[in-house]
Amino acid sequence: GQLGRDAGVRKFFYFIKEKVSSDWKDLAFHLRFGQADIDNIAGRNRDDKSRCMDLLEEWVKHNGERASIEVLMEALSEANLQSAVDLLKHNYHELDMAQASGSQRKRKRAVTLHLEEEVPMEEHFSSWNGTLAALTVKHLQHFKDSTTAHIGPKTTAIIGSNASGKTTFLRAWLLFATLLYEMSSRLSDTQSWLERVHQCQLISNSVITDIFALSDIRDFWYKRSTATPVVISGTDTGGNEVNFTINYELGGTVVNVVK
């Protein structure tokens, strides 16, 4: 079984809390803790190391067998705490082998992401000018409601408090650009999209899991609630929109492109 089964992951907690310390809130966000839970942990502990240990114990309590060291290392890396991951591997050599094995399993589990078309792609891109002005996400990770970031041509940074979703927005931006590229690259095909098959392969599930540093594709959805689709929408400087609706279905995920 995985190293994180039952209490096995706890043997790493002392080491992690010593290395993470004041950055525990960043780790909490990437372990999918809400602000209310973070505030409760902060209020009932006297220092950051105690808060980090409390966070890790709460994570195990609420996730059970899913609370593996592999998932924890991915969360550390996603929270820009790669140095803690590197030190873990240096001090616990078995983690190198476990992470490599986990990566192989993730590749084997990858399923196909599809595009389900409703209108010809030419209609989506005939007016799109290629310069993104705003990006909107909904039901994505900790963003339950529709949330928009306005992006100017000269934007160089996204600034916000810890656990505010900066990294999520940057990764959503990258996924939007990837989906946009994959679709626009097909416009050179002389055969009409509506004359082709109803579904065609767009990208693999592993693209999403790699971009968002996920061990489970369901973590892409708000509170893992896959019954509601994730929506990622882009608006260009001319006010034109392209909307991607990503649904989780048995056997894979489906992307709908809505005009």
Side-chain angles (χ1 to χ4, degrees):
Q2 288 183 313
L3 288 170
R5 292 282 174 88
D6 302 321
V9 70
R10 285 191 169 95
K11 78 174 186 177
F12 305 105
F13 283 2
Y14 181 84
F15 185 90
I16 290 171
K17 66 104 173 174
E18 290 292 317
K19 304 305 175 186
V20 172
S21 188
S22 61
D23 293 319
W24 71 273
K25 286 185 179 180
D26 292 334
L27 177 59
F29 169 71
H30 291 287
L31 289 174
R32 310 291 181 257
F33 278 75
Q35 191 59 51
D37 293 325
I38 293 173
D39 290 342
N40 285 336
I41 292 171
R44 68 185 181 226
N45 292 280
R46 67 184 184 277
D47 57 54
D48 284 335
K49 289 184 179 180
S50 299
R51 291 170 187 133
C52 186
M53 182 64 82
D54 192 357
L55 165 71
L56 295 171
E57 291 291 348
E58 285 292 312
W59 172 65
V60 166
K61 184 168 71 175
H62 288 97
N63 288 273
E65 290 189 353
R66 292 190 314 235
S68 68
I69 187 59
E70 293 89 353
V71 171
L72 183 52
M73 290 191 335
E74 287 188 9
L76 286 165
S77 190
E78 188 176 6
N80 293 321
L81 296 168
Q82 185 61 41
S83 60
V85 175
D86 294 340
L87 287 169
L88 268 171
K89 291 180 182 178
H90 179 75
N91 286 272
Y92 301 93
H93 298 296
E94 68 267 29
L95 295 183
D96 268 329
M97 294 180 60
Q99 192 171 49
S101 175
S103 296
Q104 290 176 357
R105 285 194 298 271
K106 184 166 68 175
R107 283 194 294 272
K108 290 178 181 177
R109 288 198 305 265
V111 296
T112 302
L113 191 66
H114 289 85
L115 164 69
E116 184 176 324
E117 58 193 76
E118 296 176 354
V119 297
M121 291 299 99
E122 288 80 356
E123 293 185 21
H124 288 289
F125 293 96
S126 59
S127 55
W128 181 264
N129 67 24
T131 303
L132 191 65
L135 187 72
T136 300
V137 300
K138 183 178 181 181
H139 206 72
L140 171 64
Q141 295 195 323
H142 79 290
F143 289 106
K144 177 182 179 182
D145 300 318
S146 182
T147 306
T148 301
H150 296 280
I151 305 162
K154 296 183 179 180
T155 298
T156 57
I158 297 178
I159 300 173
S161 59
N162 288 344
S164 62
K166 301 183 297 295
T167 302
T168 299
F169 253 102
L170 287 172
R171 288 173 169 160
W173 189 349
L174 177 57
L175 179 58
F176 177 82
T178 301
L179 291 168
L180 202 64
Y181 173 80
E182 289 296 328
M183 289 200 309
S184 63
S185 66
R186 299 164 188 246
L187 294 180
S188 59
D189 195 325
T190 56
Q191 187 178 11
S192 168
W193 277 65
L194 287 184
E195 293 175 359
R196 297 171 63 184
V197 295
H198 185 59
Q199 288 189 335
C200 58
Q201 183 174 332
L202 188 60
I203 56 176
S204 67
N205 238 27
S206 60
V207 171
I208 290 180
T209 54
D210 287 347
I211 288 176
F212 284 82
L214 305 175
S215 58
D216 189 326
I217 186 63
R218 290 171 294 181
D219 290 329
F220 183 65
W221 277 262
Y222 173 75
K223 290 188 175 181
R224 294 169 63 93
S225 178
T226 55
T228 302
V230 168
V231 179
I232 302 178
S233 306
T235 305
D236 68 15
T237 53
N240 305 297
E241 293 185 15
V242 172
N243 305 308
F244 295 106
T245 302
I246 304 175
N247 295 284
Y248 184 89
E249 297 184 0
L250 186 63
T253 50
V254 173
V255 174
N256 295 322
V257 184
V258 183
K259 179 65 174 174

